[in-house]
Amino acid sequence: MSRRVRFLFSLAAAIAAASLLAASLRRRAQPPRLPDQLVPGPMAARNRSFVLWLHGLGDSGPANEPIRTFFAAPEFRHTKWAFPSAPNSPVSCNNGAVMPSWFDIHELPLSPGSPQDESGVLKAVENVHAMIDREVAGGIHPDNIFVCGFSQGGALTLASVLLYPKTLGGGAVFSGWVPFGSSVIERISPEARKTPILWSHGIADQVVLFEAGQAGPPFLQSAGISCEFKAYPDLGHSIAKEELSSLEAWIKGRLKASQDKQS
């Protein structure tokens, strides 16, 4: 296969993954925009929890905002949502093509043995931590903060919650992978090891292979971290409604436990 054909195949795979996610979300009717859930303002003081969603390669934060429409339970009435966009950067797996990317990706499809951009991941983690710190400074308890992400955003989610110095409400990884080696385990604080992880992955995923997702729980177990792993048959590199329903129930349970603990 020529270099140009490989490039086009990789680029098409990345863009197709982002398109699948956007299409699956647009199937659900979108309600009017809720500024108080996304931007600090007069309602900000009422926020009791925070959900940060990190998108995948080539996607954008605004394209993922319909995700919040799946979270209609009363527990999310005072939840602040944030959907940041990754900076535009050259991506190695696409022959240096510039696109929204949290860090570099060297090859697609991703497998457990794929090379990692650890320095880029750690730099992106710093930016995520700054977003979390702002919410904590604004009065939201770390136990009520949840970081979630799809694909590349899922890998960044994992890195961000593991390296945050405090226990968070949880981290939810969708079709992601472990973006660094085992040497990072010694940098995980005792408090961060208490943050629960929800990991969801489609068995038919051909972009981030299911085997890459399966490598997550053993990695976390070696660090003494709890992980709930859910496999979805016939699901490719996309997000299913069932995954978001599971996430809603998962977060609700942790919000209730947090409220009971703080009362």
Side-chain angles (χ1 to χ4, degrees), residues 53-61 64 84-86 100-102 149-150 152-154:
W53 185 277
L54 304 173
H55 65 75
L57 176 68
D59 206 350
S60 72
N64 286 262
S85 294
S101 181
W102 300 110
F150 172 75
Q152 187 190 44

Side-chain angles (χ1 to χ4, degrees), residues 79-117:
T79 295
K80 179 179 179 180
W81 293 80
F83 297 87
S85 294
N88 289 321
S89 307
V91 179
S92 294
C93 69
N94 290 327
N95 266 18
V98 176
M99 61 181 62
S101 181
W102 300 110
F103 51 86
D104 197 13
I105 295 178
H106 294 284
E107 66 179 24
L108 289 175
L110 273 153
S111 67
S114 292
Q116 306 289 355
D117 174 26

Side-chain angles (χ1 to χ4, degrees), residues 37-38 50-55 60-69 81-85 102 131:
Q37 289 190 338
L38 299 171
F50 176 60
V51 177
L52 174 62
W53 185 277
L54 304 173
H55 65 75
S60 72
N64 286 262
E65 288 179 14
I67 285 172
R68 65 182 182 175
T69 67
W81 293 80
F83 297 87
S85 294
W102 300 110
M131 293 183 232

Side-chain angles (χ1 to χ4, degrees), residues 201-210 231-238:
H201 212 111
I203 294 176
D205 195 331
Q206 297 299 308
V207 178
V208 180
L209 300 181
F210 183 66
Y232 291 82
D234 304 319
L235 180 64
H237 197 63
S238 186

Side-chain angles (χ1 to χ4, degrees), residues 2-258:
S2 70
R3 182 180 181 186
R4 177 175 175 77
V5 172
R6 286 196 303 270
F7 162 67
L8 292 174
F9 174 81
S10 297
L11 180 60
I15 294 175
S19 299
L20 281 170
L21 173 61
S24 66
L25 294 172
R26 291 190 187 106
R27 292 192 189 103
R28 188 180 179 97
Q30 299 182 30
R33 182 181 177 86
L34 303 176
D36 58 291
Q37 289 190 338
L38 299 171
V39 183
M43 298 289 289
R46 295 178 57 189
N47 293 323
R48 298 172 187 168
S49 58
F50 176 60
V51 177
L52 174 62
W53 185 277
L54 304 173
H55 65 75
L57 176 68
D59 206 350
S60 72
N64 286 262
E65 288 179 14
I67 285 172
R68 65 182 182 175
T69 67
F70 287 83
F71 298 78
E75 288 84 353
F76 296 95
R77 188 175 302 146
H78 301 306
T79 295
K80 179 179 179 180
W81 293 80
F83 297 87
S85 294
N88 289 321
S89 307
V91 179
S92 294
C93 69
N94 290 327
N95 266 18
V98 176
M99 61 181 62
S101 181
W102 300 110
F103 51 86
D104 197 13
I105 295 178
H106 294 284
E107 66 179 24
L108 289 175
L110 273 153
S111 67
S114 292
Q116 306 289 355
D117 174 26
E118 290 196 16
S119 61
V121 170
L122 295 177
K123 182 177 179 181
V125 163
E126 292 178 2
N127 294 329
V128 174
H129 285 180
M131 293 183 232
I132 297 172
D133 288 341
R134 282 196 294 270
E135 301 308 321
V136 173
I140 296 181
H141 196 282
D143 283 354
N144 295 332
I145 293 177
F146 300 85
V147 185
C148 314
F150 172 75
S151 191
Q152 187 190 44
L156 179 56
T157 289
L158 183 69
S160 298
V161 299
L162 293 186
L163 296 176
Y164 195 70
K166 300 176 182 177
T167 305
L168 297 176
V173 179
F174 295 89
S175 303
W177 68 94
V178 179
F180 37 46
S182 58
S183 61
V184 172
I185 290 178
E186 63 187 27
R187 298 180 53 178
I188 304 174
S189 72
E191 291 304 309
R193 293 172 196 258
K194 299 176 186 176
T195 299
I197 305 294
L198 174 66
W199 197 308
S200 305
H201 212 111
I203 294 176
D205 195 331
Q206 297 299 308
V207 178
V208 180
L209 300 181
F210 183 66
E211 292 77 11
Q214 280 185 308
F219 176 89
L220 293 169
Q221 185 177 13
S222 68
I225 297 170
S226 170
C227 176
E228 181 180 348
F229 187 85
K230 291 180 174 289
Y232 291 82
D234 304 319
L235 180 64
H237 197 63
S238 186
I239 292 182
K241 179 180 178 180
E242 293 75 16
E243 290 180 287
L244 294 177
S245 296
S246 177
L247 176 63
E248 182 190 34
W250 189 76
I251 293 179
K252 280 171 57 178
R254 276 147 189 78
L255 284 175
K256 184 180 186 305
S258 173

